[in-house]
Amino acid sequence: MDPLNVLMVGTGEYTTGFVGGGASGSDKKVGVVGLSMFDLRRRGKVGQLGMVGVNGTKFPAIREHLHQNISLAYNKLDTSFDSYPADDVKDPDSYKTAIDSLKAGDAITIFTPDTTHYPIALYAIERGIHVMITKPAVKVLEDHVKLLEAAKKNNVYVYIEHHKRFDPAYSDARFKAQKLGDFNYFYSYMSQPKSQLETFKAWAGVDSDISYYLNSHHIDICDSMVSQLGYVPFKVSASASKGVATSLGCNEATEDTISLLVQWRHKDDASKRATGVYTASWTAPQRAGVHSNQYFHYLAKNGEIRIDQAKRGYDVADDSVGQLVWYNPFYMRYAPDEDGNFNGQTGYGYISMEKFVDGCRAVNSGTLKPEDLDAKGLPTLRNTIATTAILEAGRRSIDENREVGIEQVDGTWKLV
């Protein structure tokens, strides 16, 4: 198979690890997307690489950041890329110029604010470009449906970067859940420290919320577990806490913690019902020892599953940090191998990227069709529509102070 040419849309924390003029203060100090793509290029799976942002004046500093923290750390790993716009230009529509430079069968990754996912993805899809979108895919169910239609028309692969599906514990739990009988109850919690509000202050509470940002993980995991058992969501109510983020200078609309209460029922037997509760917060303590608390409890007819992926039996005491820290090398492992090369190919963050690249190459070679990738149960655009429906219903529940229904009529999803 030929290598895949990839354009990375978005230059921030997740792509480069570069935030506010330097390395991010989170666990993604050298990013995820860029590092993974540079290594996939080293391995021959990726060809030409590009990167596009709004502010071209950031690129000299980004290149130096990548050189110092990736090239010098991993045996002179090539971090070169074409950039858009020029280094002395600011252009919010530069993604169009960058996508226009690609050819059908190339790919883009979208790691930008939630409200920009739809227009960027649609622009690429209409030009025959494969697309990876960070979660959430889009904010509005109607946009999700429109992207599905466009992707089918243009025969492209659209993949949502729900990397928790590839967490070994979560992946194994999804498998074991199939043998525990009917779904009954699911509770999840995910949080990040208040410091993240500084990173996301430009859009937090304005363009999106913590439910879209973090609840999207566990809603997708739950849906991927129970949809195989025949369960679909049909009703959502939500509540939100406020006061902490606004005291830190965030927009007055910014909520601290959001909980969604979702009612599920079996599509072939409406008497079988289940409850899901999904809670997310970005106002956790600054010195909690973990960057992200993440756990869930799944209860079924014949058993239950509990997972706590915050403290994984690996803690480090470091005087320079001033506290005990629980790290997560299962997501991205940044230690080099014995030859000095990047050695994180088994991290589920990297695996998620590689799954997308492999899928695009398979479609380009004619080995697989996009619908074949849907059938594999990957987090494709088609396989994540329930997550978008639940997230929008939760947002509307808070804004409209009511319970929001989810319906499927002749295979078409809508909110009522």
Side-chain angles (χ1 to χ4, degrees):
M1 296 183 189
D2 293 333
L4 180 71
N5 299 326
V6 179
L7 171 72
M8 296 171 278
V9 184
T11 65
E13 178 181 56
Y14 213 89
T15 299
T16 66
F18 187 82
V19 177
S24 167
S26 77
D27 58 346
K28 306 179 188 69
K29 298 184 188 305
V30 292
V32 175
V33 185
L35 176 55
S36 298
M37 292 300 167
F38 297 141
D39 188 67
L40 286 165
R41 180 169 60 185
R42 179 182 69 88
R43 295 173 56 203
K45 290 192 173 188
V46 165
Q48 295 179 327
L49 283 173
M51 193 180 300
V52 58
V54 171
N55 185 355
T57 64
K58 292 182 179 180
F59 281 121
I62 288 173
R63 285 191 169 89
E64 180 61 20
H65 164 76
L66 296 176
H67 174 71
Q68 291 293 331
N69 296 290
I70 293 180
S71 293
L72 297 184
Y74 301 115
N75 206 19
K76 299 181 180 179
L77 179 62
D78 180 11
T79 58
S80 63
F81 59 90
D82 298 324
S83 59
Y84 305 84
D87 290 358
D88 59 349
V89 174
K90 296 181 181 180
D91 180 9
D93 289 327
S94 57
Y95 72 88
K96 295 179 180 179
T97 302
I99 292 173
D100 288 343
S101 72
L102 303 177
K103 65 180 186 301
D106 290 345
I108 67 169
T109 64
I110 302 175
F111 287 79
T112 59
D114 297 352
T115 52
T116 66
H117 294 180
Y118 175 72
I120 296 172
L122 184 62
Y123 193 87
I125 290 169
E126 290 177 339
R127 286 154 182 78
I129 307 299
H130 304 299
V131 178
M132 172 197 282
I133 312 174
T134 186
K135 51 76 198 163
V138 288
K139 293 185 65 181
V140 180
L141 179 59
E142 182 181 357
D143 290 346
H144 198 120
V145 172
K146 289 178 180 177
L147 288 182
L148 273 172
E149 294 170 348
K152 182 177 181 179
K153 178 181 178 181
N154 292 278
N155 193 41
V156 298
Y157 180 35
V158 183
Y159 172 101
I160 313 305
E161 206 274 311
H162 281 292
H163 52 258
K164 288 302 293 182
R165 288 202 186 197
F166 307 106
D167 181 314
Y170 279 44
S171 177
D172 199 55
R174 289 170 59 228
F175 171 74
K176 286 185 169 57
Q178 304 313 302
K179 300 180 180 180
L180 296 180
D182 289 329
F183 172 38
N184 191 268
Y185 172 78
F186 186 99
Y187 167 73
S188 65
Y189 176 77
M190 198 165 192
S191 70
Q192 290 189 353
K194 290 185 284 289
S195 57
Q196 286 293 84
L197 286 169
E198 187 62 37
T199 300
F200 302 138
K201 187 176 290 187
W203 58 263
V206 180
D207 293 329
S208 195
D209 61 39
I210 187 56
S211 185
Y212 280 109
Y213 179 57
L214 288 186
N215 268 334
S216 50
H217 281 296
H218 281 118
I219 292 170
D220 173 72
I221 289 296
C222 181
D223 175 57
S224 70
M225 293 168 76
V226 306
S227 61
Q228 299 178 69
L229 301 172
Y231 286 85
V232 293
F234 72 97
K235 192 164 52 176
V236 180
S237 59
S239 63
S241 306
K242 292 182 69 174
V244 178
T246 53
S247 71
L248 296 174
C250 290
N251 185 279
E252 62 182 12
T254 308
E255 293 113 349
D256 303 330
T257 304
I258 293 177
S259 293
L260 307 186
L261 174 65
V262 181
Q263 297 296 306
W264 299 76
R265 64 186 172 200
H266 199 283
K267 61 183 180 182
D268 298 323
D269 184 353
S271 68
K272 293 182 177 180
R273 299 195 174 192
T275 300
V277 182
Y278 315 92
T279 298
S281 176
W282 46 17
T283 56
Q286 302 280 35
R287 294 186 176 275
V290 294
H291 181 70
S292 178
N293 264 296
Q294 43 188 294
Y295 50 81
F296 73 78
H297 173 209
Y298 175 81
L299 177 66
K301 180 180 179 181
N302 300 318
E304 65 183 352
I305 297 170
R306 296 176 186 269
I307 293 182
D308 186 339
Q309 287 294 75
K311 299 176 181 178
R312 305 180 186 221
Y314 173 43
D315 58 76
V316 177
D318 184 339
D319 285 342
S320 66
V321 176
Q323 68 176 105
L324 195 65
V325 177
W326 285 267
Y327 288 101
N328 179 10
F330 306 103
Y331 171 58
M332 285 291 287
R333 189 171 73 249
Y334 291 107
D337 66 12
E338 60 276 8
D339 294 318
N341 295 315
F342 176 70
N343 193 35
Q345 293 83 8
T346 59
Y348 61 83
Y350 185 102
I351 289 171
S352 181
M353 301 288 154
E354 189 170 10
K355 292 281 187 183
F356 171 66
V357 169
D358 288 346
C360 293
R361 297 176 73 208
V363 172
N364 288 347
S365 70
T367 306
L368 294 174
K369 298 177 181 178
E371 51 266 35
D372 295 327
L373 294 161
D374 292 332
K376 288 178 178 290
L378 291 162
T380 64
L381 189 65
R382 185 166 300 281
N383 290 342
T384 56
I385 191 167
T387 297
T388 297
I390 291 169
L391 289 168
E392 186 193 353
R395 185 67 258 167
R396 288 176 59 176
S397 175
I398 294 171
D399 293 342
E400 300 170 15
N401 193 30
R402 69 179 180 92
E403 192 173 70
V404 178
I406 301 174
E407 290 184 353
Q408 294 183 63
V409 180
D410 297 326
T412 300
W413 293 66
K414 68 176 183 177
L415 303 185
V416 294

